[in-house]
Amino acid sequence: MGGLRAASPSPSGAGPDTPQPAPPHVAMACVVASEVATVLAVMRRNVRWAGVRYDGGGADEHLDHPLVAGLKSLRRRAAGWGGGGGVDPLLYLRPFLDVVRSDETGAPITGAALSSLHKMLSLDLVGPAAPNVAGAMGAVVDAVTGCRFEVTDPASEEAVLARVLQVLLACVRGRAAPALSNRHVCAIVSTCFRVVQQAGTKGELLQRVSRQTMQEVIRCVFACLPDLNATVVADEQIASWKGQGLGAGELDNGRNDYVCLNSSGDEVEGGSGVAQDKTMMELFGVPCMVEILQFLCSLLNVAEDIEVKPRMNPIDFDEDVPLFALGLINSAIELSASSIHRHPKLLAFVQDELFRNLMHFGLSMSPLILSTVCSIVFTLFYHLRHELKLQIEAFFSCVILRLAQSRYGASYQQQEVALEALVDFCRQKEFMAEMYANMDCDLQCSNIFEELANLLSKSAFPVNSPLSALNVLASDGLVAVIQAMAERTNSGPRHHDQTVPEISEYFPFWQLKCESSKDPDQWVKFVNQQKGIKRKLMVGVEIFNRDKKKGFEFLQGVHLLPEKLDPHNVALFFRYTPGLDKNLLGDYLGNHDEFSIEVLHEFARTFDFKEMNLDAALRLFLETFRLPGESQKIQRILEAFSERYYEQSPQIFVNIDAALVLSYSVILLNTDQHNVRVKKKMTEEDFIRNNRRINGGNDLPREFLSEIYYSICRNEIRTIPEQGAGCSEMSFSRWVDLMWKSKRTSAYIACNSCPFLDHDLFSIMAGPTIAAISVVFDNVEHEEVLTGCTDGFLSVAKLAAFYHLDDVLNDLVVALCKFTTLLNSTDSDDPVTAFGEDTKARMATEAVFTIATTYGDHIRSGWTSIVDCILKLQKIGILPAHLTGNTSDDQDSSDLLPSKLASSSAAAPPVFPVSAPKKSYGLMGRFSQLLYYDPEEPRSQPTEEQLVAQRNASETARKCQIGAIFTESKFLQADSLSNLAKALIQAAGRPQKITTSLDDEGTAVFCLELLITITLKNRDRIVLLWQGVYEHIAHIVQSTVMPCNLVDKAVFGLLHICQRLLPYKENLVDDLLRSLQLILKLDARVADAYCENITLEVTRLVKANAIHIKSQMGWRTVISLICITARHPDASYAGFEALVFIMSEGSHLSPANFVLSVEASRQFAESRLGSTERSIHALNLMADSVNCLTRWTREVKEAGGEVDRILEGIAEMWLHLVQALRKVCTDQREEVRNHALLSLHRCLVVDGISVSSSAWLMTFDIIFQLLDELLEIAQNYSPKDFRNMEMSLLHAVKLLCKVFLQSLKDLTTQSGFGKLWLEVLAMVEKFMKVKLRGRKLEKLQEAIPELIKNVLMVMKASGILSKTKTGENSLWESTWLQVNNISPVLQSEVFPDNDGNNATQGEQNKSDTPAQSDQSAEQ
């Protein structure tokens, strides 16, 4: 056997590896002498010990008693012990031991001797290095355990028993304890227990001392296990330990005159042979520990039938024998569990006998016993779960799940203890994950994880009663599991994404084991595969229970049975698949067809009946199905059983028939004993007689048959076993089967801190967990419980986001929002105070917004509830200021869009508490306030409690960081962002027609501000939001007929969006600008109120984004907004500023906006709202724009290609410019009118624009129209309205002549040139003859002849005008007819009498015509 590697710690506190120096011999001599004197003094109190007369005829008549003589001799020798070698401890211990052993001594003397022994052991006089230390320690134990003394009074007896306990404890505590043998340790434990038994009839103090001492002894013994070397012990040795050394028999010592702690008077178990056992004589180690545990388990069995008597000591009620034994076992396991796995035989005992007893006592009605059992199992799980896989499954199935539910008859106390134990397990971070991996994913285990999760979630719901401690306890367990999962998300990969390939063909999967339970890459794939198989099996079981044929077909279809059924695989399916209908299974196994018979025999071969009694084997066999009622089926089933049992136990029966006959007989006995209709029961003799000579003509051993008889009588073989797998009691046969399976089951998988399986776990738990925690949160008021629930909610949110279970997160958000009380429709007089006083509501609110800001990516429909909560907080006025629009800047870092209204606009009203009185505006409103004002009623001040509540409410709103939801919305996923925008739009509402200020306008404005904020923050994803935002703003604009704050936010929010987004979204420029057309649809009153500010915003937009506006539609929208301002007194200045920015120097003019810009300039030029200088500036812009046309023409020609169409477009723009200027030329203001004529002249005579002949003809039509209008104005309108029209007419005539000269070359090619020329002369003639106020205009009279003369000279030089013989309709004649009406002298001046020379000269000067023409134009 293994010995100690290091000494046990000594009471002095020295370390186990620190050698303690032996006490000085002089000190030892003093101690010995002192103790001898003490014992002798006590002995001398009784005269019988003073001297003894012997009639032996010796010399001395008075001799000392041998006990006294021995003590005196020791005293003399001790004085002579000086230096030198060590002293054998037996020399100074034996006299005291003799006193202890003697039955002649009374209790005081024995107590004194025991005290001396205790002192010498405590002072380490018996050290580990002393000579013959093992013999000395053995002698001490033998003497003390065999202590005999005369009882004089109860008090002294109790004192002696206490001294015995002290000495025995000192033996196992001292440094010489390793010298004890296994037998002596067992004797110490046995003696301590006998003292405990005897103390039951003694005083309370001794009872407590004895129990505590035995606890200490057990602790000292098992504390040595970590220091023991692991060795292999033969099975025979372990078998020899059992039943030796310790017993639980009760002693009848209360009425004797003598007390003997040893039942035999000499040895611990006199005659039992322990002393002769070599193993038990070795230094103490694993054998004695196994023996002690065996002894403690036997205490459980012996004490099972002990009844607590009414007059027993109260301690008997609290600490009865089973509880005491379990407490000792708990102490032993606590100290040794971490090392048990290194000692196979100790581990084997724990796995089998110890755990079986724990399972049995786990169903005790005593909460104390149940609690102790759960503590032991918890310790075993913590240290030995790798070796106790199936035992742990059985404990949860048969104990925890059974006792934690009232439907199985458990009391409230049992339920509470079971749930407390389960919660302790759940607080182990990997517990649930390991249960899932090892149980739920094992084909032969029940779904422990699912059952425990369901138990916790159901237990959290109160049933027809208020919330109880059980409900809160179950909620704590759920929260612990969820929090453990949430912590694991911080470390490791997500193995849940690993897909397991579908099974393509059948393979033997029943005994499949994982190649490596430590490599996650392998075991994760393995358990996922097993779980997939298990799910399909469960589906197959459901189908099979309804229809066997369809069940087999399904299992074959999913490759869980081979395509061609064979008996072996069908038998495995029947044997290892839980949930099968046992009635159906029994009928199938009993069928007479060949295939069913083969399946039956294969089914029997799956059982292991080795070392099992026939009744136990039969119990195990019949528990798997229901034995059918037909005798033939019973015959076939028992034949298969007998064949298998005989195959594995041939030493009992001579043939199979013997096993079959006895099996039949056992079934009959079972029916006879447990059928209530059988009145006359079979006796033992009847049963033995019925089975005579069945074993090949011989009788079976009577003891064998008697054991079977009484086993059947005590425990019925249930031929109708329980359906299902869970919550059934653990019978002995089932336990034997479990131990058989435990040797073949796959290795226990330990889950580390990585979330390998948590996706599956959370998917199962999420819904029930939210519901359970919500129920507790709703019904509890204790802040600590509320905090735990809140932590659970946040952990659920974290997991839902981590595994992208958006539905779970949305359900959680909706549930939490209900707890905020912000969605309640009931109005309170002081909602802020009510919210601040409600701790639960504030905690729920913080949780909601923590989830929203942290896991908003995965919120979908939940945004609706969140937005409703935000609106309620805004309504009661506790949101931070920046969330109510009180921002000062619109930079990127600002939270929300500030109002763009100037001081003339109505500002957003501040948010007041609901209880605040409303303000009245206007004269009558103020007057009515004065009428009803009562100065004697001061406004009530809030109390201190209200102030605290309001501060709490504000602090909660601050902690929520609601603004971050919107300012950080750019990080939200697309779906989440879209749902947030939809929630805001939905919350804002859609009023049909807004005629006055809305009651809930503040809500609509607030929602709009938030909507605009997220739009601006998500410029890169504007496509997701734009349609909804635009439609919302469009509805507001189109339904508003009066100015209000809502339409203000809508209009300027739209402008702000366009300003910010145009530079970044080229593909959306047209859509953004098209949206501005909504402003053009504003009601006149609304437009008038906001026109100036709209114009300012448009101006900013143009200045910042002109280069980004490319399309004609976009420019049309922008310029339309600018044009509107031309006639608005306050907005025209800003609008003209924008126009100047566009047209100045042509920097932003383009073919897309040229015509629009010219038209806008015309409107500003004609507008009388601005100054004359602005109109002239507008005309200059129009005139300067012609430079753009010349530049574009040049660029087109240089580029080459198909230029005609482009040049035609430029010519059309030029015509639009001409037409626009013509309209201004009739302006009432002189300066504007004359400047317009000059600008028109400038545009018409510009060079570089390709104007076709037809275009020139159209131009002259425009000019003729202009001149006619000017003549009409001059003749028909008052000079007061149109001042100095003479100058305007002069400019017009000059314009006509110069334009004619400019286009002369192009016009001569036209067939209608002559007609045009005559129209020009006719128009000039009109101007020559015009009269104002009855007189001709002198300036016209002077200028017109010269102008016509210049034209004629150019025409003459160009050869256009010459004397021909064409008749009276010729150009020559027609010209002079008209010219003579203007000035008769012009012909002679232009064509002197030398007509021929003039003609020749004309031909020669044709090449000079352009230069002359240009010169004339300049003149």
Side-chain angles (χ1 to χ4, degrees), residues 754-870:
C754 295
F756 296 126
L757 303 172
D758 286 351
H759 177 268
D760 296 335
L761 272 65
F762 183 67
S763 299
I764 296 171
M765 287 189 64
T769 298
I770 294 175
I773 300 177
S774 297
V775 167
V776 175
F777 190 82
D778 189 28
N779 291 278
V780 78
E781 298 298 334
H782 196 275
E783 188 169 352
E784 183 179 356
V785 179
L786 292 175
T787 302
C789 292
T790 304
D791 293 341
F793 286 135
L794 294 178
S795 297
V796 170
K798 182 177 182 180
L799 289 166
F802 185 76
Y803 295 115
H804 304 290
L805 300 176
D806 299 341
D807 291 340
V808 173
L809 187 60
N810 286 286
D811 292 343
L812 173 62
V813 168
V814 172
L816 269 176
C817 286
K818 296 177 181 178
F819 296 128
T820 64
T821 69
L822 297 173
L823 304 183
N824 297 345
S825 58
T826 55
D827 293 330
S828 172
D829 293 338
D830 192 355
V832 178
T833 303
F835 180 72
E837 292 175 343
D838 193 339
T839 302
K840 184 188 300 183
R842 289 187 286 109
M843 293 177 71
T845 302
E846 290 183 25
V848 166
F849 288 105
T850 300
I851 293 172
T853 54
T854 309
Y855 311 113
D857 270 350
H858 306 279
I859 299 177
R860 300 293 183 265
S861 59
W863 282 121
T864 301
S865 298
I866 293 175
V867 168
D868 290 342
C869 291
I870 295 174

Side-chain angles (χ1 to χ4, degrees), residues 1235-1247:
H1235 197 81
L1237 288 167
L1238 294 175
S1239 298
L1240 179 60
H1241 175 218
R1242 177 182 170 188
C1243 292
L1244 289 172
V1245 300
V1246 70
D1247 192 16

Side-chain angles (χ1 to χ4, degrees), residues 415-467:
Q415 296 178 56
E416 188 172 23
V417 173
L419 268 181
E420 286 174 349
L422 177 56
V423 173
D424 286 338
F425 280 99
C426 291
R427 292 192 177 109
Q428 300 298 307
K429 299 186 183 300
E430 288 78 29
F431 168 71
M432 279 297 200
E434 292 182 0
M435 290 299 100
Y436 180 80
N438 292 282
M439 312 301 176
D440 293 52
C441 297
D442 191 315
L443 300 181
Q444 300 181 36
C445 294
S446 55
N447 293 331
I448 295 295
F449 164 76
E450 291 188 21
E451 293 178 6
L452 293 180
N454 290 334
L455 171 64
L456 288 173
S457 58
K458 291 178 181 178
S459 299
F461 284 84
V463 180
N464 301 324
S465 63
L467 196 73

Side-chain angles (χ1 to χ4, degrees), residues 159-204:
V160 173
L161 293 177
R163 291 284 187 266
V164 168
L165 295 173
Q166 288 181 340
V167 175
L168 294 178
L169 181 59
C171 289
V172 295
R173 268 185 174 173
R175 294 191 306 129
L180 293 169
S181 68
N182 290 313
R183 180 180 70 85
H184 289 126
V185 174
C186 292
I188 290 172
V189 174
S190 177
T191 302
C192 288
F193 178 71
R194 289 193 178 93
V195 174
V196 171
Q197 285 183 308
Q198 293 181 19
T201 58
K202 304 295 189 292
E204 181 178 339

Side-chain angles (χ1 to χ4, degrees), residues 1148-1299:
H1148 296 291
L1149 281 176
S1150 67
N1153 67 0
F1154 184 86
V1155 174
L1156 299 169
S1157 300
V1158 167
E1159 182 61 24
S1161 296
R1162 181 191 67 78
Q1163 294 186 29
F1164 276 98
E1166 292 178 343
S1167 174
R1168 303 290 295 271
L1169 297 177
S1171 63
T1172 303
E1173 288 76 9
R1174 192 181 74 181
S1175 298
I1176 293 174
H1177 193 180
L1179 291 170
N1180 289 335
L1181 292 176
M1182 297 170 71
D1184 292 342
S1185 66
V1186 77
N1187 297 329
C1188 289
L1189 298 178
T1190 59
R1191 186 177 75 250
W1192 296 341
T1193 302
R1194 182 176 63 255
E1195 291 173 354
V1196 168
K1197 290 180 178 179
E1198 291 174 356
E1202 298 180 0
V1203 300
D1204 293 341
R1205 185 177 58 82
I1206 300 176
L1207 293 177
E1208 289 177 3
I1210 295 174
E1212 290 180 3
M1213 287 186 280
W1214 177 75
L1215 283 174
H1216 279 95
L1217 174 61
V1218 170
Q1219 184 71 13
L1221 285 170
R1222 183 205 68 77
K1223 293 179 181 179
V1224 187
C1225 289
T1226 59
D1227 193 87
Q1228 191 173 359
R1229 294 164 296 175
E1230 178 186 359
E1231 296 87 347
V1232 175
R1233 182 173 63 249
N1234 293 335
H1235 197 81
L1237 288 167
L1238 294 175
S1239 298
L1240 179 60
H1241 175 218
R1242 177 182 170 188
C1243 292
L1244 289 172
V1245 300
V1246 70
D1247 192 16
I1249 300 176
S1250 299
V1251 182
S1252 64
S1253 301
S1254 58
W1256 277 116
L1257 293 177
M1258 295 174 62
T1259 303
F1260 275 98
D1261 290 339
I1262 295 171
I1263 296 174
F1264 290 152
Q1265 184 180 2
L1266 171 62
L1267 268 59
D1268 287 337
E1269 292 176 358
L1270 289 173
L1271 283 174
E1272 182 181 358
I1273 291 172
Q1275 293 175 351
N1276 299 329
Y1277 287 84
S1278 170
K1280 294 181 180 180
D1281 296 331
F1282 290 88
R1283 302 179 59 184
N1284 199 9
M1285 282 297 298
E1286 182 179 3
M1287 185 59 65
S1288 298
L1289 294 174
L1290 179 59
H1291 287 309
V1293 173
K1294 288 181 179 180
L1295 171 66
L1296 176 62
C1297 294
K1298 291 180 179 181
V1299 171

Side-chain angles (χ1 to χ4, degrees), residues 1083-1103:
D1083 185 89
R1085 288 166 290 186
V1086 178
D1088 183 67
Y1090 302 131
C1091 187
E1092 180 180 2
N1093 293 288
I1094 290 174
T1095 307
L1096 290 173
E1097 291 300 320
V1098 172
T1099 302
R1100 293 192 186 100
L1101 184 147
V1102 170
K1103 289 182 178 180

